[in-house]
Amino acid sequence: MNKIFNTTFEVGLRVLLLLHTVSPKGITIDRIAAYDFITVYGKLFGLSDSNLHGDNNYNFSEFSSRRLTCTTVLKELVLDGVITVTHSSSGYIYKLSPVGTEFAESLSTDYSKEYMHTAHKVHHHYSGKTDEKLIAEINKLAIKTLQRR
């Protein structure tokens, strides 16, 4: 499942959609990885009627590799000029560039529309939490889910 849905190309497209969702604000790599995971598995978090990548017993195992993949993707997107990066007290903050905004707005598949719809819910629900609390919440749900099995 991970190889089908989480190539660097696809994660890159999702990052652009995600950054478009939080625009004009920027977010850290930890928040990008967390928001992307929660958006893809929105049903697990009570934010969507279904999981974009389907239901499976190993979805939480994807989260650990998500940040590493995001690191690679963000470097590529910065080099391509579709996102910008600035340093703040919270760490590096990533935002869409004007070219990235134009590209994100051109994505109009059913998948991208559903992704953005859920991403808006995720951002609205979690924007008040710190990155640390956001990741802790994912980990807590992972443990809870494993204990039920």
Side-chain angles (χ1 to χ4, degrees):
M1 207 52 126
N2 202 22
K3 291 184 184 201
I4 295 171
F5 290 116
N6 291 314
T7 64
T8 55
F9 177 74
E10 186 190 353
V11 172
L13 293 175
R14 291 196 320 254
V15 166
L16 292 176
L17 293 171
L18 190 58
L19 290 175
H20 189 268
T21 300
V22 303
S23 186
K25 290 183 73 177
I27 53 178
T28 64
I29 188 171
D30 289 329
R31 187 162 296 266
I32 290 169
Y35 274 15
D36 181 52
F37 181 78
I38 296 168
T39 300
V40 167
Y41 292 109
K43 182 179 175 183
L44 291 171
F45 295 87
L47 297 172
S48 179
D49 293 333
S50 62
N51 294 320
L52 282 168
H53 292 185
D55 299 325
N56 68 73
N57 291 328
Y58 305 103
N59 39 25
F60 283 102
S61 66
E62 288 180 31
F63 184 63
S64 61
S65 65
R66 185 82 40 139
R67 191 180 189 287
L68 184 59
T69 302
C70 282
T71 300
T72 302
V73 165
L74 289 170
K75 286 178 189 176
E76 291 173 9
L77 294 174
V78 168
L79 290 173
D80 290 341
V82 292
I83 64 171
T84 61
V85 60
T86 56
H87 191 273
S88 77
S89 59
S90 306
Y92 291 104
I93 304 295
Y94 298 89
K95 295 181 183 181
L96 282 180
S97 71
V99 171
T101 300
E102 187 177 325
F103 186 77
E105 289 173 352
S106 76
L107 300 172
S108 61
T109 64
D110 289 342
Y111 179 93
S112 64
K113 289 175 187 173
E114 184 64 28
Y115 184 91
M116 290 216 20
H117 177 73
T118 305
H120 278 288
K121 289 181 181 180
V122 170
H123 182 56
H124 178 75
H125 188 77
Y126 292 104
S127 63
K129 292 188 184 279
T130 65
D131 290 359
E132 293 79 16
K133 287 185 180 182
L134 180 58
I135 292 168
E137 192 164 320
I138 293 170
N139 291 333
K140 182 179 174 183
L141 184 58
I143 291 167
K144 190 183 215 182
T145 301
L146 289 171
Q147 287 174 337
R148 280 188 245 149
R149 292 184 187 144

